[in-house]
Amino acid sequence: MLTDYAACCAEEEELLRNVCLEKRKRFAVPENSFVHFDIPMTVEHETELLYAAGFADVKAVDCINGATLFVTKKDGEKSR
């Protein structure tokens, strides 16, 4: 299971990505420096990334105030 905040649409995801870039510039954070700035993605984008990471049967099963609960399994695991 994974719970993550989801952007309502691609425009919101892009807006938040730009906010992150603006903050990096404002505080002169080098591009090669790791900083955690949570950028909510759309449910569709996060689902694609989970599949790309090797998960299977990815399902968004609930959403409470933007926090989406995903249920998935790694390839080869039995469903419970």
Side-chain angles (χ1 to χ4, degrees), residues 56-74:
D57 299 329
V58 179
K59 293 180 180 84
V61 297
D62 200 5
C63 182
I64 302 169
N65 297 326
T68 303
L69 172 64
F70 294 88
V71 175
T72 187
K73 64 179 182 172
K74 273 291 209 180

Side-chain angles (χ1 to χ4, degrees), residues 14-49:
E14 184 65 23
L15 171 75
L16 295 170
R17 190 174 313 284
N18 287 332
V19 168
C20 176
L21 292 173
E22 289 170 17
K23 288 183 183 289
R24 289 184 76 103
K25 286 179 188 174
R26 184 174 355 143
F27 295 106
V29 178
E31 285 190 37
N32 63 348
S33 293
F34 175 78
V35 233
H36 177 72
F37 188 91
D38 194 14
I39 302 170
M41 295 177 278
T42 62
V43 170
E44 294 79 16
H45 190 191
E46 187 137 4
T47 298
E48 289 172 12
L49 290 176

